[in-house]
Every structure is written in structure tokens, then in C-alpha cells.
Amino acid sequence: TIDVEEYFHVSAFERHVSRAHWPRMERRVEEVLPLLLDWMAEVGAMGTFFVLGWTAERAPELVRRIANDGHEVASHGWDHARVTQLDPDAFRRQARDSRALLEDLTGQPVRGFRAPSFSIVPGREWALQVLVEEGYSYDSSLYPVRRPGYGYPGGPRDIYRLDTPAGPLLEVPPATLRMAPNTAVLQGRVLGDQGRPLAGAAADGGVGRPEGLPAAAGVIEVQALEDAGDGADLAEVVGLVDHADGAGGVGGSLEGH
């Protein structure tokens, strides 16, 4: 699965880059994501792309290409506002508006949702009912880990059904590894030479099933980010090496995988 968002959308940057400043930032998704799509086509990999409404509104042809390449398009909300920052009415608008735009662009039903930063956390389960009411059939937000700012500790690690007052919802949690006594995040980023995309291993016949990984789990989150320019400057501010000085960019990261 791929979260389609700009480098300046990530929650770690929100204290440094206001939403009002976003239109002045250089967008990179339209440059970077086609490289990932080309590579996926080359190796025969298919995926689900969770797209922000903000991004889809500004890059409609990219969203159409994702769908035309045979991938699933799903919603990542509108502007990367976390569920913990929204009341039910605001969340409903984000879920509804993003789904309507994505369906209009692709001509296909949008069934899935992933909350920005996996922010459906304990105490925000009302969001799951809203998703059912807005026509979604599955969610991929309940990350069964304990991490600063997100996570649903103790949640099932395999795909399961949730019963909400509005009806059933399939929950598809991102993959984790059981490393006693903890549950570890299993993620990847398509970056420069410092990044090694887990999707590469998946395309070579799957990531295998490391000890502790349930047989039913295989939902790996990948973020396609170009780590140069403004991204490097922001990384210096917040100390995130993922976004800084990646020689070779996305192409260099994908080569050989």
C-alpha cells in the first residue's frame, strides 16, 4: 500500500509548515510517483494507493494513471488532518469529499480508507461508524502497535471484521512483526540510497514471512518521497534523516530491487 502525499504533509512537519504555506511549497508527488508506478509495472506489482484529496485536486492526471494502471485508489482523507484533530462532523466531510473526488476522477468506487498517521486511536472509534455511513467497506487505520502519537495497542494483527452501529466494516491492519515482548512496525519508504523499499522484496515473490508475521498479514505501507530541496531543509529542522541528502533519489532506491 502506498500513501500518496507530499513530503510537507507528514505530521512531523506540521509545526514547521502551516497549511496556509502549502500552496507555496514545491510539489514532488507528480515527479516521484510515476517512477514508482513505472517500476511496479515492470515487476508486475499491484497495490492500493491511499490518496489525499488535497493531492488529487492538484494532480488529477496522476490519480487517473494510478487507476488506469490497474491499482486500487482509496482515500487518505483530505488534508492529512489527524482524526484526533477533528470532530465527527469535520471527519465526515473529509471522508465524504475525498471519496467523491477520487470516484469522480477514476470512475471507480472507492471502498477503502486510511487515516493520516493511523490516527484512529483508542477513544476515536466513532470514526469507524462514520466510514460505514459514508459508504466505505474497509479501513486500514488501526495499527496494532504502541507508538508516540498513534497506534491501537492490543488490536488484532490479522484482517478482521468490525461491527459498528452503522453496520460491518472490514479492518485491514498494516503488517507488524511480533518481537517479544513488543509488536514492531513493518514499513518502507521509497527514498534515496539510505532507503530500501520493502515493496521491492514483495515484488520478488513477497517479503516472505519472517518469524512472527501472521500468514494473513501482508499490508505494508510505503511512502514515495523525494528527499531533496525543501524536504532536506525541513528534515534539518526536525532531525528526520529520511528526507535528507538521498543521493540518487527514488530511481537510485528502486534500482536493484
Side-chain angles (χ1 to χ4, degrees), residues 8 10-19 21-22 24-25 233-240:
F8 50 83
V10 297
S11 296
F13 290 164
E14 64 185 0
R15 290 181 299 168
H16 308 279
V17 184
S18 70
R19 282 172 172 75
H21 190 65
W22 285 1
R24 299 195 294 273
M25 302 292 289
D233 296 338
L234 288 169
E236 185 176 354
V237 172
V238 297
L240 296 177

Side-chain angles (χ1 to χ4, degrees), residues 11-196:
S11 296
F13 290 164
E14 64 185 0
R15 290 181 299 168
H16 308 279
V17 184
S18 70
R19 282 172 172 75
H21 190 65
W22 285 1
R24 299 195 294 273
M25 302 292 289
E26 181 184 356
R27 300 204 310 269
R28 303 269 170 74
V29 164
E30 291 156 278
E31 174 186 355
V32 174
L33 198 60
L35 301 177
L36 180 60
L37 289 167
D38 290 344
W39 170 78
M40 292 178 75
E42 180 181 342
V43 301
M46 303 304 297
T48 295
F49 289 70
F50 292 94
V51 185
L52 284 179
W54 191 97
T55 300
E57 190 174 50
R58 290 159 177 78
E61 290 305 317
L62 182 60
V63 176
R64 293 189 183 100
R65 180 186 167 182
I66 293 170
N68 290 338
D69 281 4
H71 303 289
E72 180 186 13
V73 174
S75 172
H76 197 34
W78 188 266
D79 64 352
H80 214 270
R82 287 170 287 172
V83 179
T84 50
Q85 299 170 316
L86 302 171
D87 62 28
D89 288 340
F91 176 71
R92 184 183 301 276
R93 287 193 296 272
Q94 293 232 354
R96 177 181 297 171
D97 292 350
S98 59
R99 182 169 183 257
L101 175 58
L102 294 172
E103 290 187 340
D104 182 62
L105 290 175
T106 65
Q108 300 174 4
V110 170
R111 302 184 182 89
F113 182 87
R114 172 175 286 163
S117 298
F118 305 102
S119 53
I120 301 181
V121 298
R124 293 295 190 274
E125 290 87 353
W126 50 259
L128 301 168
Q129 178 179 341
V130 171
L131 291 177
V132 176
E133 292 170 349
E134 291 303 318
Y136 290 91
S137 58
Y138 77 88
D139 171 71
S140 184
S141 305
L142 303 188
Y143 217 148
V145 296
R146 189 184 303 276
R147 294 287 295 272
Y150 73 89
Y152 204 84
R157 297 169 59 218
D158 293 337
I159 297 172
Y160 59 101
R161 181 176 127 157
L162 289 164
D163 292 313
T164 79
L169 183 71
L170 194 68
E171 181 60 37
V172 186
T176 55
L177 290 174
R178 188 63 183 168
M179 302 173 67
N182 300 312
T183 300
V185 172
L186 183 59
Q187 290 179 314
R189 281 186 172 87
V190 180
L191 292 166
D193 287 349
Q194 296 177 18
R196 291 292 179 265

